[in-house]
Amino acid sequence: MSQSFENETSFEQNSAQATRDIAEVAAVEIITTAAVHLMSAAAVKCGLAEDPDAQIDLDEARKLITALAGLVTAAAPDIADMHARSLRDGLRSLQLAFREASFVPDPIGEGPGEKYTGPVN
């Protein structure tokens, strides 16, 4: 019983510390970190990793790229231009990689995230 209580206390302490830690992080850092995670996952799913044949999944890549496009488009006005420009460049590279990996490419303007970014070619 005391082990369970110790685990709960430890969890509560860790949770409180994580809350304090995240409160100290600037919004732009959280946004860019989330974007980098989406970019990394999308790159793997587009076949840009070590073992593309085993890791490529264009359906999953489409979802990740669309989510990234929404995040970048929504956040761009509120984050510094240097951050937004880098995120847009990464997003565009992923959109082009997706198009290249597709056996039947989407029409221009209908690729992943293009409803947020406009046509990519």
Side-chain angles (χ1 to χ4, degrees):
M1 184 76 169
S2 66
Q3 180 69 23
S4 175
F5 178 73
E6 288 175 14
N7 287 343
E8 283 182 34
T9 302
S10 176
F11 175 77
E12 290 172 5
Q13 289 171 343
N14 289 341
S15 179
Q17 181 62 42
T19 301
R20 282 191 297 274
D21 290 346
I22 205 160
E24 297 172 6
V25 179
V28 69
E29 290 182 46
I30 294 171
I31 292 165
T32 56
T33 299
V36 167
H37 285 293
L38 289 168
M39 282 183 190
S40 298
V44 170
K45 299 294 185 179
C46 282
L48 301 175
E50 292 177 16
D51 188 8
D53 293 333
Q55 297 168 331
I56 195 166
D57 185 338
L58 295 180
D59 183 51
E60 290 289 303
R62 178 182 297 278
K63 294 171 189 171
L64 292 163
I65 293 169
T66 300
L68 176 62
L71 175 62
V72 171
T73 301
D78 297 318
I79 60 177
D81 185 56
M82 68 179 201
H83 296 292
R85 190 176 324 124
S86 298
L87 294 176
R88 282 189 195 110
D89 289 345
L91 171 58
R92 183 174 189 279
S93 294
L94 286 168
Q95 288 171 311
L96 293 172
F98 181 93
R99 184 173 301 282
E100 188 175 306
S102 296
F103 294 111
V104 180
D106 296 318
I108 301 295
E110 294 182 25
E114 290 183 357
K115 68 181 177 182
Y116 301 112
T117 64
V120 175
N121 55 4

